[in-house]
Amino acid sequence: MQEEMITVPCPNCGKDVMWDELSPWRPFCSKRCQLIDLGEWAAEEKRIPSDSDQTDSDDWSEEQH
């Protein structure tokens, strides 16, 4: 019985990536694409959609002295 090869598109560049242990950066095609994606999240260029306009940090406050 032959296993079916699963491929997914790289979220950054769209290149096909094999989904197995031989692809260490999956779902990305390379370390470069992985770091580009991480940088976009860190710069808040990407975010998870929310029904609220309030962010988690809006509830944070420093103790008043």
Side-chain angles (χ1 to χ4, degrees), residues 3-65:
E3 290 186 36
E4 183 179 334
M5 299 261 300
I6 297 173
T7 61
V8 297
C10 174
N12 189 51
C13 71
K15 179 180 174 182
D16 284 341
V17 179
M18 287 191 320
W19 191 269
D20 65 12
E21 63 276 354
L22 298 176
S23 301
W25 310 114
R26 68 184 181 272
F28 303 98
C29 67
S30 65
K31 180 72 172 178
R32 178 183 179 274
C33 279
Q34 183 187 47
L35 290 174
I36 289 170
D37 185 76
L38 178 61
E40 289 171 350
W41 282 100
E44 297 185 357
E45 294 171 16
K46 291 185 177 181
R47 55 182 28 184
I48 297 173
S50 171
D51 292 336
S52 172
D53 289 336
Q54 186 176 20
T55 66
D56 290 340
S57 62
D58 289 342
D59 289 333
W60 299 349
S61 64
E62 293 186 18
E63 190 174 320
Q64 299 295 321
H65 294 272

